[in-house]
Amino acid sequence: MLGGSIYIALIRFAISLAGTVILFSLMNEPRYGRRKTVISYACFGAAVVAGACVWYAVDWESCVRMAAFVMYLCFAVFSIFMSSDPIFLSLYKLALTFYLLAVFLIAGIEVSILFFDRNVWADIVTRVVLIGFMAYFIDRKIKSAIRGFSSYVENELDQFSLAVMIVSILFGIGFILNPNIRGQTPYRLFQIIINFFLTGALQLLVFRLYQHIGREKEFQKENQLMQMNHRLLERNMELLEKSADSGRRIRHDVRHHNAVIAEFVRRGQNQELLQYLQEYNRQTDEGGERVLCDNTAVNNLLSSYTEKAEKEQIRVVMDVELDRNLTIPNIDLVTILANAYENAIYGCMEVRRQSRERECSIYLMIRRKKNKLVMYCSNTCRLETEIKNGQPRPEATGGVGVLSIIKTAEKFDGEYDFKNDNGLFIFRLVMNIPQQESA
């Protein structure tokens, strides 16, 4: 601390706290709107700076030793309240802000001592310049990366590792800001530089680590979508092959039917012809395509997967009511249904491999209720199937599908859950149906 009058202390306290608020706000997701956030931070800052100035006037020595830590501790508690981020994510951002705070505090003091004979205005100007540079760099270069990184940390957070990292950073900066080390020696400057380098390197290492983990998860999601598309293409190919076979069979049969009808007409056997046509119509109705709902895409998908389930001797019960004019795009609807149904079949097949005695079944319910789409799917599963962080482990679903379901459901503000009810795996989903745009 370079000393100075109470007015100089007021300016330095205000600049340091304002810089801390600005740097943290650039990285943080606020809980409230901009106006309320600005007013809250302004009132908080005024109260803290006023208290620090009173402390400076009453007991200069203790204020010099503890003011930075106490002010930052108050700021940390208040900012956690103002942030919408989870607590550990807020702590990480606070540790990064504390590191930047230490940089402009120490840099201002060292520049003033080394080059301007302890001039307090040199310290103040250096702080302002550094805060402006940091804010510009964060806003222009890394704000989007940090906020994207925040989502990675939130989803992939190893709380123990993050806690160790935060404590390490705080200890390192605490050593740098230690007011009891007063000697201005080359060795002291070397210690400061090394500590800043190590704590900065630790920040960068954690940033890169979680960014890599998050990107790997994104790649896994994309890979799952590709696998899902591959499976859907296979199902479509099966349907096309069945349609082509059915068309060839129909054309072949029609020639025979025409020949029989022509023979009845040639002989004048009208009664026998009517009986033949009635029998033909009855066989045609029995062998017709299965109709599960009015939505063509969903009907074809469910028919294909139901046939696959029945081949695996899995009992299927359906309660599906969907009309043609559903405003949810078919690709999104098929993404959810295909993955849910295939995962249910996979779960039943795993049970069958484990025990031939258990009966395997799938129950699927899809309904439209006003502007909501409601889906319920249950299937026999292994008793040891685990749910972690609200999602089944990959080995319970064959490693694919769940992330695709979640990603698609979230597009429509969907709410979902998965659970294992004593050997019955249950998936529930409620999501909004977009309003049809008027012409």
Side-chain angles (χ1 to χ4, degrees), residues 209-224:
L209 172 63
Y210 281 106
Q211 195 173 50
H212 174 75
I213 294 174
R215 286 176 176 172
E216 185 178 358
K217 286 292 184 180
E218 291 293 330
F219 291 149
Q220 289 180 3
K221 291 179 182 179
E222 295 298 326
N223 183 48
Q224 289 187 6

Side-chain angles (χ1 to χ4, degrees), residues 302 317-320 337 341 362-366 375-377:
L302 295 180
V317 178
M318 287 200 182
D319 182 7
V320 181
L337 281 173
Y341 207 160
I362 297 173
Y363 173 73
L364 179 63
M365 183 273 289
I366 309 172
M375 186 181 303
Y376 177 95
C377 182

Side-chain angles (χ1 to χ4, degrees), residues 110-166:
E110 295 299 329
V111 167
S112 176
I113 293 174
L114 292 174
F115 302 106
F116 296 96
D117 194 25
R118 293 181 175 271
N119 187 294
V120 293
W121 293 107
D123 174 29
I124 292 172
V125 171
T126 303
R127 293 186 188 190
V128 172
V129 170
L130 285 176
I131 291 171
F133 173 77
M134 291 175 182
Y136 177 83
F137 184 77
I138 291 174
D139 184 60
R140 297 291 182 179
K141 302 296 182 180
I142 62 174
K143 180 170 71 174
S144 59
I146 288 178
R147 290 191 173 181
F149 160 76
S150 299
S151 65
Y152 296 154
V153 174
E154 183 179 352
N155 295 328
E156 311 300 333
L157 188 63
D158 179 353
Q159 295 183 354
F160 176 77
S161 300
L162 192 57
V164 171
M165 183 273 298
I166 292 172

Side-chain angles (χ1 to χ4, degrees), residues 77-97:
V77 174
F78 183 76
S79 62
I80 290 175
F81 171 76
M82 295 294 294
S83 174
S84 63
D85 292 326
I87 181 68
F88 265 83
L89 185 55
S90 296
L91 290 175
Y92 171 79
K93 292 180 179 179
L94 284 169
L96 177 56
T97 306

Side-chain angles (χ1 to χ4, degrees), residues 3-200:
S5 67
I6 187 67
Y7 302 106
I8 296 296
L10 171 63
I11 294 173
R12 296 165 81 182
F13 288 146
I15 290 173
S16 298
L17 186 59
T20 305
V21 171
I22 291 171
L23 296 177
F24 180 76
S25 298
L26 287 173
M27 299 178 286
N28 180 55
E29 294 289 348
R31 185 187 300 271
Y32 307 106
R34 173 177 289 185
R35 185 171 181 273
K36 184 175 181 180
T37 300
V38 171
I39 293 174
S40 299
Y41 272 118
C43 295
F44 165 78
V48 170
V49 170
C53 289
V54 172
W55 185 8
Y56 185 86
V58 173
D59 188 353
W60 178 86
E61 186 175 353
S62 65
C63 182
V64 170
R65 288 200 308 267
M66 299 298 298
F69 289 102
V70 173
M71 290 177 67
Y72 185 77
L73 181 62
C74 295
F75 168 76
V77 174
F78 183 76
S79 62
I80 290 175
F81 171 76
M82 295 294 294
S83 174
S84 63
D85 292 326
I87 181 68
F88 265 83
L89 185 55
S90 296
L91 290 175
Y92 171 79
K93 292 180 179 179
L94 284 169
L96 177 56
T97 306
F98 193 21
Y99 174 76
L100 299 176
L101 167 68
V103 170
F104 68 73
L105 283 181
I106 296 300
I109 294 173
E110 295 299 329
V111 167
S112 176
I113 293 174
L114 292 174
F115 302 106
F116 296 96
D117 194 25
R118 293 181 175 271
N119 187 294
V120 293
W121 293 107
D123 174 29
I124 292 172
V125 171
T126 303
R127 293 186 188 190
V128 172
V129 170
L130 285 176
I131 291 171
F133 173 77
M134 291 175 182
Y136 177 83
F137 184 77
I138 291 174
D139 184 60
R140 297 291 182 179
K141 302 296 182 180
I142 62 174
K143 180 170 71 174
S144 59
I146 288 178
R147 290 191 173 181
F149 160 76
S150 299
S151 65
Y152 296 154
V153 174
E154 183 179 352
N155 295 328
E156 311 300 333
L157 188 63
D158 179 353
Q159 295 183 354
F160 176 77
S161 300
L162 192 57
V164 171
M165 183 273 298
I166 292 172
V167 170
S168 300
I169 291 174
L170 295 180
F171 273 121
I173 300 173
F175 175 79
I176 295 171
L177 294 177
N178 185 2
N180 294 321
I181 303 177
R182 300 178 182 274
Q184 192 65 27
T185 65
Y187 181 68
R188 166 63 176 159
L189 292 176
F190 177 75
Q191 285 181 313
I192 292 175
I193 294 171
I194 292 300
N195 270 277
F196 272 128
F197 173 77
L198 293 177
T199 50

Side-chain angles (χ1 to χ4, degrees), residues 391-409:
Q391 300 178 21
R393 289 180 174 273
E395 57 268 21
T397 61
V400 297
V402 173
L403 292 178
S404 298
I405 292 174
I406 293 173
K407 187 174 182 179
T408 306

Side-chain angles (χ1 to χ4, degrees), residues 211-366:
Q211 195 173 50
H212 174 75
I213 294 174
R215 286 176 176 172
E216 185 178 358
K217 286 292 184 180
E218 291 293 330
F219 291 149
Q220 289 180 3
K221 291 179 182 179
E222 295 298 326
N223 183 48
Q224 289 187 6
L225 288 175
M226 290 175 63
Q227 292 185 44
M228 182 208 70
N229 289 333
H230 178 71
R231 295 198 308 273
L232 290 179
L233 286 173
E234 288 181 338
R235 299 289 175 266
N236 287 333
M237 289 298 296
E238 291 174 4
L239 291 173
L240 287 174
E241 289 177 359
K242 288 176 60 178
S243 298
D245 290 340
S246 177
R248 286 192 294 268
R249 187 179 65 254
I250 290 172
R251 287 193 297 272
H252 180 269
D253 292 343
V254 163
R255 289 196 297 269
H256 293 289
H257 292 309
N258 288 341
V260 172
I261 292 172
E263 185 64 21
F264 278 129
V265 172
R266 188 178 64 81
R267 296 184 180 184
Q269 297 174 330
N270 296 330
Q271 188 64 33
E272 288 81 354
L273 175 59
L274 289 175
Q275 292 178 356
Y276 177 80
L277 291 175
Q278 291 173 355
E279 180 67 23
Y280 177 74
N281 289 334
R282 184 166 55 253
Q283 291 180 358
T284 302
D285 291 338
E286 291 175 354
E289 184 179 344
R290 185 183 313 192
V291 179
L292 300 173
C293 68
D294 293 334
N295 188 290
T296 305
V298 173
N299 185 79
N300 291 340
L301 174 78
L302 295 180
S303 298
S304 176
Y305 277 99
T306 301
E307 183 176 341
K308 178 181 178 182
E310 290 173 348
K311 286 181 180 178
E312 297 291 339
Q313 298 180 345
I314 300 171
R315 185 171 63 91
V316 178
V317 178
M318 287 200 182
D319 182 7
V320 181
E321 292 183 8
L322 283 181
D323 52 32
R324 294 177 179 270
N325 300 321
L326 200 66
T327 54
I328 298 175
N330 284 335
I331 185 63
D332 295 316
L333 200 57
V334 165
T335 296
I336 296 174
L337 281 173
N339 283 294
Y341 207 160
E342 184 153 317
N343 290 343
I345 294 173
Y346 179 86
C348 290
M349 291 172 63
E350 286 295 296
V351 171
R352 187 63 52 78
R353 293 190 188 98
Q354 189 180 61
S355 173
R356 289 282 178 180
E357 298 177 357
R358 287 186 66 187
E359 181 182 0
C360 295
S361 63
I362 297 173
Y363 173 73
L364 179 63
M365 183 273 289
I366 309 172

